[in-house]
Every structure is written in C-alpha cells, then in structure tokens.
Amino acid sequence: MPFTYAHARPALSTDCVVFGLDAEDLKILLIKRALEPFKGRWGLPGGLARVGESLEDTARRELAEETGLRQVFLEQLYTFSSPDRNPQEHVITAAYYALVNLSEHPVRASTDARGVAWFGLTEVPRLAFDHAKILELACERLRGKIRYQPIGFELLPRKFPVRELQRLYEKILGRALDKRNFRKKILNMGILQELAQTETDVAHRAARLYRFSKEKYDRMKKQGFNFEV
Amino acid sequence: MPFTYAHARPALSTDCVVFGLDAEDLKILLIKRALEPFKGRWGLPGGLARVGESLEDTARRELAEETGLRQVFLEQLYTFSSPDRNPQEHVITAAYYALVNLSEHPVRASTDARGVAWFGLTEVPRLAFDHAKILELACERLRGKIRYQPIGFELLPRKFPVRELQRLYEKILGRALDKRNFRKKILNMGILQELAQTETDVAHRAARLYRFSKEKYDRMKKQGFNFEV
DNA sequence: GGTTCTTAGTGTAGATTAGACACTAAGTAA
DNA sequence: TTACTTAGTGTCTAATCTACACTAAGAACC
C-alpha cells in the first residue's frame, strides 16, 4: 500500500541510548542489526516513526519490540539530520535516552540472546550509522545533567545504600568522589529517605538503606541545583 | 511531481524562536501566516524539511526566506511530534532557537512590513499551532542555559558597556541583579575584554566599553560554570 | 559657571559553602 | 579471636556568596 506526497519527504526514525547500572558498570543496551545497511553490526535500538504516533511513542514501541523494555524513563536527546548519516537514503532520527534499573527491568528472554546485549561504556564495539556520535552526546548529556539535577531514581533499585548512589555518580562522572562530602551533600539535599532496613547478604557491615523521596526528587529536578561534590 | 513511499511518512518541518535584544526589551520575531491553517495568526518562522538538507539548514533557509536573517547563532531546542499539533496532518517539527543582535542583523525591509514583527515577551499574541508551547520551552532553555554558560555574545553588539550585559541577564532571568556583584562576577570570569573606548552620545557619565574574548567565551561555554548572581 | 541630574564605578564584612582529610564501629569469615 | 571489609562520622581552612551605599564623571539646564 504505497503512499504518495507532493514533495519528497525524508524518512524519520527514533534511536534510543539505554543506560543501565549493574554490579560492575554503567552499561548501554545494543542490538545486533539483522538487516542492511550495517547488517551484523551493533547499533542502538530504534525504528521508523509512524504517522499518528508521537516520537516518544515510537521510541517506546521500538524499545519494547526489540528489547522487551517497557515503562522506562525516557527523554529526548537530540535530532540528528545530516543527509549522509544513512547511506541508503536521507533518514532523520530523533534520539532519546533511557535510564533503567536492571534489577527491575530484565531484558526480555524471548529475544534472541545473541541479538541484544549490555556493553560497558569502555567496551562498546563499532556501531552502525552515526550511533557512536549519538552515544557520545548521550553520555555528555548525562554528565551535564547530573550537575544540576538529581539522577539515580531511574537507575537504582527502590531501596539502596548510599554507597550505590555514590558509585553511580562516580561511574557517570568518571572520577572518584569523597565519601564524607558526598554523604553530607546528598543527605542534606533531602531527596533521600532513610529506611529502618539495612542491607542483607553482604560480607561486611551492612549499610542502612534509603529510598528516593519522589516529591523532593521531582521538585529538585524542576528547580535545579548545583552539585559539584 | 509526486513522491511515493512504501510506508506513510509524517511531514517534517522546522520552527525557529528568534530572540533579539533591543533598547526596551528581549523580543522574539514572529511572522503572520499567509496560508491556512491559522491564516492571519502570528507564528514562528519555519517550513518543511527537504530531502538532502539537514534540519539546521532548513531552519536557516526558512529564516532567510521569511525574515532576511542570515548567519545567526542557532541551536536545536526540541522536536515536537504530537500527532494533533497540526490539524491538517501529522507534522513533526524540530524547533530551534536563534540569538541575534538587532543592531547588526536588521530584519529585511523587502519583507512586507506587516508580515514580520518583533514582540516583547509579555506582549506575544495568540500563536498558531503549538507555537506558544515551543516559545515557552525556548524561554525556559534560555533561562536554564544562562546559569551554566555565558550568554550575550550573540545578542549584544560587538562593543557594549557592562550595564547592557546586566540588562540582558535581568531580562532573561526576569529579576533585578546587584550591580556590584554582577560586575565582580562577570569581570572575574575573564570573558570580557576591557577596551580603551567609552560610550558616546549618552546624557550621563559615559561607561567603559567591553567586548567578549571569543576564546575564553567558547571555553567557558564548553566547560560550563555556575552563575547564580 | 554653577547647579542638577543621571549613571559609572568601587569595597567590605558576615554568612555560607566547598574541599581536604582519618579514625572508630560493626559485622563476616576464617 | 583475629583479620578483613565496609559503614559511618566531624572539623578546619579556603573560597564564594550576599547584602549594602557612597563618590566620580559627564551632560543638561538655567
């Protein structure tokens, strides 16, 4: 069923950089391309926009189809439109980034296991299209964002020790942070709620667990702050 | 000459929020729509993307065609894709914002004078499509940006007194700033170069003129800082 | 020529925040 | 019981932020 227009239209797609934090590292989710161009190369999950669907919906739909991920935190990153970014035709892509916490959002088993995989940020293979550029911008955005907005709610499990939040910050910023100063700052910010529980199953003194106070977190997100640590 | 595709494609356009600072106010540039939909209503300059053209090029081309503005500072804002943002069909628009200094970029006279006009931010009329939403996001972005990047180079004449820069900051932030603290902070930042000249044609003590040091300015832009004033 | 008016240009003190830094406490494992 | 690992805590110094008011310079007016 062909569609005809008076003027030529570039194709429009979405691509998504999915960040997830696991026990080792901050990782991103890639899929192995089954089709040309760049067949067999790893790339960002994504696909063509449909008429009547917002780009965010496109991104969510493709993410669900290709990786099984649903109801993740999703934010628009940038729209890449260079005419030669796709060798076949002019495809403009709205890039999104997603933050997921791996413990609560397992990548679906039904997907061919060889087709979807997490990669540490330092071990990303050569990517299809301009996806390396998109990934780089996403990392930059994340680093920039962390400086004036709280991050973590979307990447950490519901209950976590302060240590884990610090580890996340260190992974994103790429440098070590002082434990005392970090605790001081993050606890004074008031976005964390102390729980009565402590960790279990650790081979050392168990740390107190916290959770994000959603209201404070969202308020901080709106108004912004300055977090240098 | 019709174009046919296997799948339906949403139309793709750009829209541009053009900010300019004049003697009174921070203003934005609007055009009066000559065609349906929203014929006669004011809206943002913009138009349809062409195959083989990046969206930034589209935005620049449309801006030149509709307002005569060329070689302005242009940055991508956000891509709006709600299916109902255009009543006729699904048109996705990549919004950009531009910063221009009115003294060096006059809006072209050749344009029908009634068709293009500057509006103060408080006197913007009802806009076509979702352009009010786009404008609001652009203002927010500008306010956000000013807090961690230098702004002014693009909006002020080459040589200007500190007062003018402060006025710009006050217009963007929407509140008064302390003169001494502002001078201290902005001068210590090192992005301003003191000139030997002073203002002329003012009915009071003439202020020293400054210009931006391009290198420092760009460096600051990259690394970011924190400007609370 | 003096008076008035307007904006330029300057400094400080107190409060707050950032940054560097090291030890004891608690729990597990052997 | 000892060794090991991580939790959890406070202080001092330097830097930065904030609030705040007067004199200097030049133009306009009389």
Side-chain angles (χ1 to χ4, degrees), chain A residues 13 43 53 60 77 84 89 95 98 106 112 134 136 143 163:
Chain A
S13 69
E53 177 184 69
R60 287 188 190 282
L77 177 62
D84 55 6
E89 69 162 329
D112 176 0
I134 297 176
E136 204 192 343
R143 273 196 300 274
R163 179 192 68 236

Side-chain angles (χ1 to χ4, degrees), chain A residues 1-12 51-55 76 78-79 81 83 89-90 92 147-148 223 226, chain B residues 1-12 51-55 76 78-79 81 83 89-90 92 147 223 226:
Chain A
M1 173 163 47
F3 295 84
T4 301
Y5 305 101
H7 301 280
R9 296 185 172 186
L12 187 58
V51 170
E53 177 184 69
S54 75
L55 289 171
Q76 197 181 101
Y78 192 78
T79 299
S81 61
E89 69 162 329
H90 192 181
I92 291 174
R147 291 177 48 175
Y148 60 94
Q223 75 182 50
N226 198 244
Chain B
M1 174 163 49
F3 295 85
T4 301
Y5 305 102
H7 299 281
R9 296 186 172 187
L12 187 58
V51 171
E53 179 185 67
S54 75
L55 288 170
Q76 198 182 98
Y78 192 79
T79 299
S81 61
E89 67 163 329
H90 191 183
I92 289 175
R147 290 177 50 175
Q223 75 182 52
N226 198 245

